[in-house]
């Protein structure tokens, strides 16, 4: 501010009003405005008026115009030949079949071990903001007729909905292959873990199973309710070594749930399925990072503009009030200064220049934010 005042007092000619707008503005526009405002005033009158105005213009408007740091998200590149949905998930339930037949093997590994591995790698690949839960169905009693009732009622929540990946990983290790397959009951329990949503795909249920319903439930009806009801969730199913009839039964469940079904019969099938899951997580993560960066940049820009407008308004109001009060007090004492009108014009020119600077600042920040958004969108399109 002292620098601005020194400039003003060194230019007492018709362009003296350069000083009234504060540093950082457009000198040409300020000079033109000031020259017009002070038309007819003598150099001495302008100097007196400027010295008077300086008493009330001690706030530097430079402080109102802060720079805004706009972010660019770090996006993950595409996995070759992989496909997957791009709707960012919000909540995910992994439901693993705990029936005794999951102890059978595919490619030298038990279906249960493959299910655990798939669940762990899928959960680890989810964006950090996504909440996930793990449940197991049929992991009670045993797979005999005597153990059926207990097993069919056995739907256990091993990890509640949370962002705690460590807890989820630990829960996966507690899945056992012991009983029957209450798929409908497992889906109903998964549905209860979800929230109302109007966006299909932001809530997903992943079922890992090696067989169709064996407890008398209707998983197709439950899946349809989940997908078309208040949760709008999608039901995806990974089957392990299913014969064609059972594969068709589970596909009808995933179809009703608006999702997809894949039957894993070999290790190669399993690896392709995991690649698809990884790609799904990659696209979901990129979409989420893209959305967060765009909305964050817009919010920071909006906050800076609001703050600048308020700051300039406060300076304007404070300076106008202080000088008005002083002029009123002088008038009551019969001491109205002869340069009063010139002083008021100088103050108005300063405030007009600050408003013009505010508009230029707004245009620049909005332009920067638009450019950043276009750059983010282009980068996201390049890795889709």
């Amino acid at each position: 501010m002292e620098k601005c005042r020194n400039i003003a007092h060194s230019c007492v000619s018709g362009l003296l009003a350069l000083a009234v707008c504060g540093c950082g503005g457009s000198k040409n526009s300020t000079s033109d405005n000031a020259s017009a405002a002070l038309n007819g005033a003598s150099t001495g009158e302008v100097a007196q008026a400027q010295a008077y105005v300086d008493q009330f213009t001690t706030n530097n408007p430079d402080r109102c115009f802060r720079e805004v740091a706009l972010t660019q998200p770090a996006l993950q590149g595409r996995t070759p030949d992989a496909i997957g949905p791009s709707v960012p998930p919000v909540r995910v339930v992994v439901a693993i079949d705990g029936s005794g037949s999951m102890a059978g093997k595919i490619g030298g590994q038990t279906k249960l071990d493959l299910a655990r591995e798939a669940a762990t790698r899928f959960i680890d690949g989810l964006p950090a903001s996504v909440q996930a839960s793990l449940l197991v169905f049929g992991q009670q009693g045993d797979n005999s007729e005597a153990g059926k009732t207990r097993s069919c009622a056995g739907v256990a929540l091993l990890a509640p909905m949370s962002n705690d990946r460590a807890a989820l990983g630990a829960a996966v290790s507690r899945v056992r292959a012991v009983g029957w397959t209450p798929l409908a009951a497992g889906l109903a329990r998964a549905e209860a873990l979800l929230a109302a949503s109007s966006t299909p795909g932001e809530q997903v249920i992943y079922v890992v199973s090696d067989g169709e319903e064996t407890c008398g439930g209707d998983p197709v009806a439950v899946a349809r309710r989940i997908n078309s009801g208040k949760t709008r969730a999608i039901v995806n199913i990974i089957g392990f070594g299913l014969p064609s009839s059972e594969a068709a039964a589970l596909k009808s469940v995933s179809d009703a749930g608006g999702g997809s079904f894949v039957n894993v019969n070999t290790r190669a099938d399993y690896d392709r399925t995991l690649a698809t899951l990884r790609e799904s997580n990659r696209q979901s993560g990129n979409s989420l990072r893209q959305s967060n960066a765009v909305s964050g940049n817009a919010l920071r820009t909006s906050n800076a503009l609001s703050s600048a407008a308020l700051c300039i308004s406060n300076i304007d109001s404070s300076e106008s009030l202080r000088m008005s009060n002083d002029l009123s007090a002088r008038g009551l004492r019969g001491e109205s200064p002869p340069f009063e009108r010139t002083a008021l014009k100088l103050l108005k020119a300063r405030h007009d220049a600050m408003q013009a600077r505010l508009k230029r600042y707004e245009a620049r920040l909005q332009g920067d934010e638009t450019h950043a958004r276009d750059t983010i969108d282009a980068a996201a399109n390049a890795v889709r």
Side-chain angles (χ1 to χ4, degrees):
M1 189 63 195
E2 185 62 31
K3 178 181 178 182
C4 299
R5 189 173 289 116
N6 289 339
I7 293 173
H9 288 297
S10 67
C11 302
V12 181
S13 63
L15 300 185
L16 173 64
L18 271 172
V20 299
C21 72
C23 296
S26 170
K27 292 186 177 182
N28 289 336
S29 62
T30 301
S31 300
D32 293 341
N33 291 341
S35 296
L38 301 177
N39 186 32
S42 68
T43 300
E45 181 181 340
V46 171
Q48 287 181 306
Q50 183 64 64
Y52 175 73
V53 170
D54 284 347
Q55 301 174 69
F56 310 102
T57 56
T58 56
N59 286 309
N60 189 343
D62 285 355
R63 65 183 175 85
C64 300
F65 302 102
R66 63 182 175 85
E67 292 303 313
V68 177
L70 302 178
T71 61
Q72 292 285 331
L75 303 175
Q76 295 180 355
R78 170 177 283 279
T79 302
D81 302 323
I83 59 173
S86 59
V87 175
V90 175
R91 296 174 196 83
V92 171
V93 179
V94 178
I96 299 180
D97 182 356
S99 63
S101 58
M102 288 288 283
K105 292 187 176 182
I106 289 180
Q109 285 184 279
T110 66
K111 300 173 187 177
L112 182 59
D113 284 340
L114 292 174
R116 288 176 181 148
E117 181 184 349
T120 299
R121 293 172 69 176
F122 171 71
I123 290 170
D124 287 345
L126 289 171
S129 62
V130 176
Q131 291 191 315
S133 179
L134 177 72
L135 62 82
V136 60
F137 53 94
Q139 188 177 282
Q140 297 291 336
D142 55 47
N143 58 357
S144 68
E145 284 294 331
K148 181 175 181 179
T149 299
R150 185 181 175 197
S151 180
C152 287
V155 180
L157 180 63
L158 301 185
M161 193 69 72
S162 76
N163 302 94
D164 189 344
R165 301 295 187 255
L168 284 163
V172 170
S173 66
R174 299 200 297 272
V175 178
R176 298 288 182 267
V178 295
W180 294 65
T181 310
L183 176 56
L187 288 173
R189 183 64 182 276
E191 179 186 21
L193 296 171
L194 303 176
S197 172
S198 59
T199 306
E202 70 175 10
Q203 299 189 118
V204 184
I205 299 171
Y206 277 95
V207 177
V208 183
S209 177
D210 76 333
E212 60 185 332
E213 169 78 34
T214 59
C215 291
D218 189 349
V220 171
V222 177
R224 184 176 294 111
R225 183 184 72 217
I226 290 171
N227 184 244
S228 61
K230 65 178 183 178
T231 68
R232 303 291 289 166
I234 287 175
V235 178
N236 293 323
I237 301 179
I238 300 174
F240 283 106
L242 296 170
S244 58
S245 61
E246 293 191 31
L250 285 187
K251 186 177 185 307
S252 66
V253 176
S254 65
D255 287 346
S260 60
F261 168 77
V262 59
N263 190 19
V264 175
N265 288 299
T266 65
R267 181 70 200 198
D269 289 342
Y270 176 78
D271 290 339
R272 282 193 295 271
T273 299
L274 281 187
T276 298
L277 290 177
R278 285 196 298 273
E279 174 62 9
S280 174
N281 288 343
R282 182 195 73 84
Q283 291 192 22
S284 296
N286 280 352
S287 183
L288 188 63
R289 284 185 283 271
Q290 177 187 5
S291 175
N292 287 344
V294 169
S295 60
N297 287 343
L299 180 61
R300 282 186 287 274
T301 298
S302 177
N303 287 345
L305 292 176
S306 297
S307 177
L310 180 61
C311 180
I312 291 298
S313 177
N314 287 342
I315 291 177
D316 188 318
S317 299
S318 173
E319 293 177 353
S320 296
L321 180 62
R322 289 166 60 200
M323 199 167 88
S324 176
N325 287 343
D326 186 76
L327 289 172
S328 295
R330 287 171 178 261
L332 290 175
R333 296 195 303 268
E335 300 174 357
S336 297
F339 50 78
E340 178 176 343
R341 290 184 62 188
T342 301
L344 290 171
K345 289 179 180 179
L346 282 169
L347 187 62
K348 184 178 184 303
R350 168 182 166 84
H351 293 165
D352 287 348
M354 288 194 299
Q355 289 296 328
R357 183 178 176 187
L358 179 61
K359 289 181 179 180
R360 293 192 298 274
Y361 176 74
E362 178 180 5
R364 177 170 67 82
L365 260 57
Q366 289 177 340
D368 289 347
E369 191 266 327
T370 297
H371 177 70
R373 183 173 63 249
D374 290 344
T375 302
I376 292 170
D377 290 345
N381 288 333
V383 297
R384 281 201 173 100

